Amino acid sequence: MGMQHKPIGVFDSGYGGLTVLKEIVAQLPQYDYLYLGDNARAPYGPRSFDTVYQYTLECVEWFFKQGCELVILACNTASAKALRNIQQKDLPGIDPFKRVLGVIRPTTEIIGNYSTTGQLGILGTQGTVISNSYPIEIQKFFPSMQVFQEACPMWVPLVENGAANEPGADYFVQKHLNQLLSQSPKIDTILLACTHYPLLLNKIKAFAPASMTIVSQGEIVAKSLADYLDKHLSMAEKCSKNGQIRFCTTDSAVDFDAHASLFFGQAVISQHVDLQG
Ligand code: DGL
């Protein structure tokens, strides 16, 4: 890999970030991308703040070693629990010119526009929900919005194990959807605040009221990245543009390739990496 290879890093605990990468590549095909799934340590959702922060920082440092100037945490759990510390505490010491961005800010900036009743439902991992990041951030942009949350601890394991379309998933999808919607009859918009959940979209739609607006983050995050690069030309110039994508996983590459196409929408060939290597 030459010195000029500076792909945009895209990170998730596992496969979920591929749903975001897919939309980013569709909107910005000219850039090079480096995807890392920390599958060996997924899921992050039930882990403590300190653990998610430590794992995410190790992955961000790995991206920097690979030449990335810009890393997108395409994972809500990592964005909720690690991003602020990394941006404020770690980046200034590592390299003040590098950037790490998350998925929560771009989503909360616009999510209120989808609702007409002023009541939003958020579905996410335990980590994302307990952090309260969504209600706090949404309040900044849409002060009168009422936000209801529900943690869905079984959804990521269902998706990671390739069971998203199996009948057994119905129980857990219905359970959490009902628990969310029972909090208020006026919720008219549901945000899938976990990058794995678009894989459950068909089931969520089947069990939600027909009038419900269900929002996935991929396109929102991709549009926000495009705007960011338009506004930060020195960063846009630094990132290399050969239209190449490299996929890496901390676990088995064979397993990654077998599952990843479901999330990315096309065949994927990955390589195993050792974060310390
Ligand atoms: N895709 C991650 C997110 O958006 C899943 C987190 C997990 O590993 O539990 O939160």
Side-chain angles (χ1 to χ4, degrees), residues 257-269:
D257 298 353
H259 291 102
S261 59
L262 265 179
F263 296 78
F264 192 59
Q266 53 182 281
V268 164
I269 296 176

Side-chain angles (χ1 to χ4, degrees), residues 114-123 145-150 176-191 208-209 211-214:
Y114 289 85
S115 171
T116 49
T117 61
Q119 297 207 354
L120 280 175
I122 307 285
L123 296 169
M145 192 65 55
Q146 279 183 277
V147 182
F148 301 89
Q149 302 192 90
E150 169 72 8
H176 293 298
L177 208 47
N178 291 344
Q179 283 176 5
L180 176 70
L181 297 178
S182 70
Q183 295 180 48
S184 169
K186 281 174 65 189
I187 295 171
D188 68 345
T189 303
I190 293 177
L191 170 67
S211 59
M212 189 65 64
T213 301
I214 299 166

Side-chain angles (χ1 to χ4, degrees), residues 173-239:
V173 170
Q174 267 181 297
K175 175 181 168 180
H176 293 298
L177 208 47
N178 291 344
Q179 283 176 5
L180 176 70
L181 297 178
S182 70
Q183 295 180 48
S184 169
K186 281 174 65 189
I187 295 171
D188 68 345
T189 303
I190 293 177
L191 170 67
L192 306 185
C194 172
T195 55
H196 282 69
Y197 294 177
L199 272 282
L200 290 163
L201 187 59
N202 288 342
K203 282 200 196 290
I204 296 167
K205 278 187 178 159
F207 294 121
S211 59
M212 189 65 64
T213 301
I214 299 166
V215 183
S216 301
Q217 291 176 299
E219 279 181 44
I220 296 173
V221 173
K223 167 86 176 52
S224 160
L225 176 60
D227 290 346
Y228 175 86
L229 291 168
D230 278 347
K231 288 193 198 112
H232 297 84
L233 290 179
S234 64
M235 178 58 81
E237 276 160 21
K238 272 190 268 182
C239 297

Side-chain angles (χ1 to χ4, degrees), residues 12-14 16-17 42-46 74-78 125 128 156 193-196 217:
D12 184 47
S13 58
Y44 279 15
C75 173
N76 288 273
T77 311
T125 65
T128 299
V156 168
C194 172
T195 55
H196 282 69
Q217 291 176 299

